[in-house]
Amino acid sequence: MFKITELARKFGLSRSALLYYDHIGLLTPSGRSEVGYRLYSSNDRDRLATICSFRQAGLTIEDIRRVLSMEEDANGVVLQRRMRELGEEIRTLQNQQHLLGKMLQIRSLGKLPVKIDKQAWIEMLSAAGMDEAAMKRWHIEFEHRAPEAHHQFLLALGISEAETFLIRKQSVAT
């Protein structure tokens, strides 16, 4: 049997993560010690290893719960959906990489304008093969990863504070 801190350390997790998993019923300890400490069995350890693997693959806690409870072929449905999401993320990253390559190429030729405005930016994104949906995903990802930098970037394109606020609001609402 493993105590909570010992099991958490084995997986590089915090004690509070295991407490949370217990609280939501994702990983319930098999027993308690005489003084009330949570005790985890080797089966609990194996379940936690599975949970950690699914987390590394990007599944949400709710998806992991579905997969582990074996709801209506949840394994296949959930994993296929995650594969599609990863494909979209990869395409977005490839588009961004292509865009940066174009920008570097333009810059090396000395044709990069001193200031890039909204229209120039949209044209570069389009030239990189990004459609409206991809641009929206780009904004969502930028807002998620670095909201303040996203705000400053939009302002640097000459976009008004009001329009910047609207773009950021739409990037969060999705």
Side-chain angles (χ1 to χ4, degrees), residues 3 32-39:
K3 290 182 182 173
R32 298 264 180 175
S33 69
E34 291 177 8
V35 292
Y37 293 128
R38 290 169 173 80
L39 296 175

Side-chain angles (χ1 to χ4, degrees), residues 44 58 98-99 144 164:
D44 297 332
H98 183 72
L99 173 63
H144 173 73
T164 294

Side-chain angles (χ1 to χ4, degrees), residues 79-90:
L79 296 177
Q80 287 174 0
R81 187 185 77 235
R82 182 63 186 142
M83 271 297 255
R84 280 192 308 276
E85 291 170 354
L86 282 174
E88 289 173 14
E89 290 173 27
I90 289 168

